[in-house]
């Protein structure tokens, strides 16, 4: 879809550092969108001449490359991209993810038809793991459902039920300017931003129901979301307790913190974390089941079972 006035409608913001081959693939999936009235802004998070040289081989005037003088982290890089953006809309893309060709066009259509002043448009995505491909999330949020409960309070035994992935986010630049990403967080910063803005009048979460993005979640690529640091996650949820419901608080401990602590074999955290969920949360029977499962069954076994069940339902 071409804009006859040549006005930039969407600014794509891609933070990256020291991954020239990976980011080049990501950039090309943005430049080959059916919505052509875009710019693609790559923010190189600190000196990285190899990535600069690699991206210089892409001959498309819609690509802008900005190399920061020092590392500021993913949120700082994204905020820089927003400040540099010329489009009305911002679409975030991680450097190791990809988009399907109609992603931006479909999201712009949903955004333009939204009754919210500031729609935050996400989409389903295809999760690539070493066990196969899965479409996530399995369900979309209910109209009256608190966003924190959609993200953290599972109603089923396997992950992927409710989630919003960064590379699917499509939002007005005006909203990002009013509420930028919090730069002090190096993980969970997208969740914190979503929870914070969802409480603002005029903001609402919308979804393209089809998968529009590809997330390489467990393909041997080092990414911050794969780091097993349960203490950081505990500090994060404590800091943001005012943004989540008690049910979501317990769910976060059971499904986000517990598997990280179990993965590193930190059994001394078993009872303190359970006590945290009881004291500040609203522990449901499924949360207790999930908590015990995360500790007692290895991650590899859980993934194998999930893969088998997913294949039976497709």
């Amino acid at each position: 879809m071409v804009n006859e006035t040549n006005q930039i409608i969407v600014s794509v913001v891609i933070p990256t550092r020291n991954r020239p081959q990976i980011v080049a693939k990501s950039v090309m999936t943005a430049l080959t969108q059916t919505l052509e009235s875009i710019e693609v802004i790559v923010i190189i998070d600190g000196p990285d001449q190899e990535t600069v040289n690699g991206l210089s081989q892409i001959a498309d005037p819609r690509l802008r490359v900005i190399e920061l003088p020092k590392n500021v982290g993913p949120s700082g890089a994204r905020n820089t991209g927003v400040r540099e953006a010329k489009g009305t809309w911002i679409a975030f893309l991680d450097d190791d993810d990809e988009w399907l060709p109609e992603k931006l066009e479909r999201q712009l259509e949903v955004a333009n038809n939204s009754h919210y002043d500031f729609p935050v448009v996400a989409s389903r995505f295809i999760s690539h793991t070493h066990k196969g491909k899965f479409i996530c999330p399995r369900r979309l949020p209910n109209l009256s459902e608190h966003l924190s409960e959609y993200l953290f309070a599972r109603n089923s035994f396997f992950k992927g039920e409710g989630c919003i992935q960064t590379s699917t986010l499509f939002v007005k630049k005006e909203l990002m300017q009013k509420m930028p990403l919090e730069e002090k967080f190096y993980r969970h910063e997208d969740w914190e931003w979503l929870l914070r803005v969802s409480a603002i009048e005029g903001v609402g979460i919308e979804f393209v129901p089809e998968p529009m993005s590809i997330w390489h979640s467990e393909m041997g690529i080092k990414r911050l979301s794969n780091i097993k640091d349960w203490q950081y996650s505990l500090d994060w949820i404590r800091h943001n307790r005012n943004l989540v419901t008690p049910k979501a608080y317990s769910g976060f401990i059971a499904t986000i913190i517990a598997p990280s602590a179990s993965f590193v074999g930190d059994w001394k955290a078993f009872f303190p974390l359970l006590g945290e969920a009881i004291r500040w949360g609203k522990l449901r029977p499924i949360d207790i089941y999930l908590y015990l499962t995360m500790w007692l069954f290895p991650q590899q076994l859980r993934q194998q079972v999930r893969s088998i069940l997913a294949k039976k339902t497709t």
Side-chain angles (χ1 to χ4, degrees):
M1 188 169 76
V2 181
N3 177 12
E4 294 180 357
T5 65
N6 293 321
Q7 179 182 0
I8 295 172
I9 299 175
V10 179
S11 296
V12 180
V13 175
I14 307 174
T16 191
R17 180 174 179 149
N18 297 329
R19 301 204 282 191
Q21 290 80 22
I22 292 175
V23 72
K25 186 175 182 180
S26 177
V27 166
M28 291 310 300
T29 69
L31 291 172
T32 54
Q33 290 287 297
T34 54
L35 180 67
E36 297 180 10
S37 304
I38 68 172
E39 64 175 350
V40 177
I41 307 172
V42 177
I43 305 296
I44 302 178
D45 191 13
D48 180 3
Q49 192 59 46
E50 187 177 359
T51 299
V52 172
N53 294 341
L55 293 176
S56 68
Q57 305 301 310
I58 300 176
D60 192 315
R62 297 174 299 167
L63 174 62
R64 297 166 57 196
V65 179
I66 299 173
E67 185 182 21
L68 301 182
K70 64 178 182 179
N71 176 251
V72 297
S75 293
R78 291 188 182 101
N79 285 338
T80 299
V82 171
R83 289 192 292 269
E84 294 287 336
K86 298 176 182 178
T88 303
W89 298 91
I90 301 291
F92 291 113
L93 176 58
D94 287 346
D95 64 0
D96 47 6
D97 293 335
E98 303 169 49
W99 284 345
L100 299 182
E102 295 184 354
K103 190 259 187 190
L104 294 182
E105 186 174 349
R106 292 281 284 111
Q107 287 187 300
L108 181 62
E109 179 183 5
V110 170
N112 286 335
N113 291 325
S114 175
H115 67 276
Y116 295 112
D117 294 330
F118 296 101
V120 177
V121 185
S123 76
R124 282 191 164 99
F125 58 93
I126 302 170
S127 175
H128 274 213
T129 79
H130 65 279
K131 295 295 181 181
K133 301 177 183 179
F134 307 91
I135 294 178
C136 300
R138 293 198 304 277
R139 70 173 182 90
L140 303 184
N142 299 321
L143 189 61
S144 60
E145 186 175 18
H146 195 280
L147 182 60
S148 67
E149 294 186 4
Y150 172 71
L151 293 174
F152 306 139
R154 279 197 214 168
N155 297 310
S156 62
F157 298 136
F158 297 102
K159 67 180 181 179
E161 176 192 343
C163 52
I164 297 176
Q165 203 267 332
T166 309
S167 292
T168 70
L169 290 177
F170 183 96
V171 61
K172 275 186 178 178
K173 177 182 177 180
E174 183 181 352
L175 179 60
M176 289 301 310
Q177 289 175 313
K178 290 180 177 180
M179 300 287 283
L181 290 158
E182 178 55 72
E183 297 186 13
K184 67 182 177 182
F185 297 125
Y186 69 85
R187 286 183 64 209
H188 309 330
E189 73 283 354
D190 49 351
W191 286 339
E192 189 273 343
W193 182 83
L194 283 165
L195 293 170
R196 188 158 36 97
V197 299
S198 66
I200 299 175
E201 185 177 356
V203 175
I205 307 297
E206 302 270 21
F207 262 89
V208 175
E210 299 83 18
M212 290 285 128
S213 179
I214 301 173
W215 182 43
H216 296 285
S217 58
E218 295 171 359
M219 298 294 285
I221 298 173
K222 183 180 180 181
R223 57 193 304 160
L224 289 174
S225 58
N226 288 339
I227 296 174
K228 306 296 181 181
D229 184 354
W230 70 264
Q231 186 62 58
Y232 173 90
S233 295
L234 179 59
D235 292 341
W236 180 88
I237 195 64
R238 284 173 170 172
H239 180 83
N240 293 291
R241 187 156 53 91
N242 64 310
L243 298 178
V244 305
T245 68
K247 187 163 73 171
Y249 194 92
S250 292
F252 187 89
I253 290 176
T255 62
I256 304 296
I257 299 179
S260 293
S262 171
F263 183 84
V264 297
D266 202 347
W267 278 92
K268 68 179 184 294
F270 182 92
F271 287 111
L273 287 177
L274 185 59
E276 179 89 12
I278 295 171
R279 180 183 180 187
W280 299 111
K282 185 178 180 181
L283 208 60
R284 302 168 298 158
I286 192 171
D287 296 321
I288 298 172
Y289 174 88
L290 289 169
Y291 187 82
L292 294 174
T293 298
M294 299 302 175
W295 282 99
L296 299 176
F297 296 94
Q299 182 183 47
Q300 185 176 6
L301 177 61
R302 298 198 308 269
Q303 290 174 340
Q304 288 174 344
V305 173
R306 176 177 175 238
S307 177
I308 293 170
L309 292 179
K311 288 177 181 178
K312 287 183 178 180
T313 58
T314 57

